[in-house]
Amino acid sequence: MKNKRITSLLMSVCLAFVLSFAAACGGLSGGDSRFALSGSEKRLELRGKVVSVEKANQQITVAHEEIKDYMPAMTMPFVLKDEWAFDKLGPGDQIAAALIVDGPRSWLQDIVITKATSDSSASESGSQATGKPGTEVPDFRLVNQDGKQISIHDYRGKALLLTFI
């Protein structure tokens, strides 16, 4: 009987030690204690353009728009909770994220990234889409409101107005 009590006591002490150690390491809290919420935090919407990414410091610098009822537009660094984003983000990318402000601490989470276009032909083709006076319109075919196929080539030298409804 005495051995059972000692064994039970030892198991209880070991279990308490393991639980304490796991909690101290964050194993039971579900994540990094830097991002633990107090219950009085503010959640604000942030939109902006990434200026730099510092994976080693877990921060990004963002030129952000005005954050309504909080701060004017400016460029500043933010701690980023979403670690996966460091491998995806680059200068020039547009982001939308939740800015969490909890007392003196703040960070970005739930980030959505819109990649900056690095293809210079995209900007060139954008300028060609409006065309320049005297530039020939490429030939293409459309189906009109009567179900008849028409070709831009058929209207060469004539005024033509196209609408898409």
Side-chain angles (χ1 to χ4, degrees):
M1 183 77 167
K2 191 174 183 180
N3 284 342
K4 281 187 178 184
R5 283 188 195 162
I6 292 173
T7 304
S8 177
L9 179 63
L10 283 174
M11 289 185 70
S12 296
V13 169
C14 287
L15 181 60
F17 176 78
V18 169
L19 291 175
S20 298
F21 182 77
C25 292
L28 296 180
S29 65
D32 194 329
S33 63
R34 293 176 302 154
F35 306 115
L37 299 173
S38 68
S40 62
E41 69 278 351
K42 286 184 185 177
R43 184 181 179 97
L44 306 161
E45 183 179 322
L46 178 132
R47 293 185 182 282
K49 183 178 181 179
V50 175
V51 175
S52 66
V53 178
E54 297 176 47
K55 186 175 183 176
N57 295 332
Q58 283 193 301
Q59 49 179 49
I60 60 175
T61 300
V62 180
H64 64 80
E65 300 172 1
E66 175 187 6
I67 301 172
K68 213 164 198 52
D69 300 324
Y70 188 68
M71 76 171 62
M74 64 178 70
T75 300
M76 61 184 290
F78 292 95
V79 172
L80 182 58
K81 181 180 179 183
D82 303 324
E83 290 185 32
W84 62 265
F86 288 107
D87 297 327
K88 306 285 185 202
L89 280 171
D93 291 343
Q94 294 290 326
I95 63 164
L99 170 60
I100 308 300
V101 179
D102 195 0
R105 302 175 308 133
S106 66
W107 63 88
L108 297 179
Q109 66 184 39
D110 304 330
I111 190 167
V112 176
I113 305 167
T114 304
K115 294 302 270 178
T117 173
S118 60
D119 184 9
S120 62
S121 66
S123 61
E124 290 171 14
S125 69
S127 65
Q128 289 178 346
T130 58
K132 295 178 184 172
T135 303
E136 187 175 312
V137 176
D139 189 30
F140 60 92
R141 296 189 175 282
L142 298 170
V143 176
N144 70 11
Q145 70 274 9
D146 298 323
K148 183 178 175 186
Q149 215 178 55
I150 62 168
S151 170
I152 295 300
H153 181 71
D154 297 338
Y155 293 89
R156 187 155 304 180
K158 301 176 185 174
L160 175 65
L161 174 66
L162 297 175
T163 61
F164 298 89
I165 301 173

